[in-house]
Amino acid sequence: MWTLQDAKNRFSAVVEAALAGTPQQVTRRGQPAVVVLSSEEYQRLLAGAVQTRESFVSHLMAFPGPETERAEAKPRGPS
């Protein structure tokens, strides 16, 4: 894990390690901020995400229909 300042100072080493197959985590103010990984690994992850994602239409069609119970709301009286 790299601090942001160390990652800036040694960016070539961060990139080389990522290209060698080890994603590099970078923190900012002590909190995890970003991960540097190779373009090949990024494309692999992106392709996997696209394959498992359902279409928006499928998502809408899975939404419960009119048989779902709705809470009854009563209108407010005059103020």
Side-chain angles (χ1 to χ4, degrees), residues 59-75:
H59 174 73
L60 291 178
M61 295 303 289
F63 193 76
E67 65 277 356
T68 303
E69 291 184 31
R70 306 286 181 191
E72 289 191 31
K74 296 181 181 173

Side-chain angles (χ1 to χ4, degrees), residues 13-57:
V14 173
V15 171
E16 286 300 322
L19 289 173
T22 307
Q24 301 298 297
Q25 296 180 337
V26 180
T27 62
R28 183 170 70 178
R29 298 185 190 110
Q31 300 296 318
V34 298
V35 175
V36 178
L37 52 114
S38 69
S39 178
E40 181 180 292
E41 180 67 8
Y42 174 72
Q43 293 301 324
R44 187 187 69 75
L45 291 171
L46 189 60
V50 169
Q51 289 174 356
T52 59
R53 190 180 313 153
E54 66 178 319
S55 73
F56 185 63
V57 171

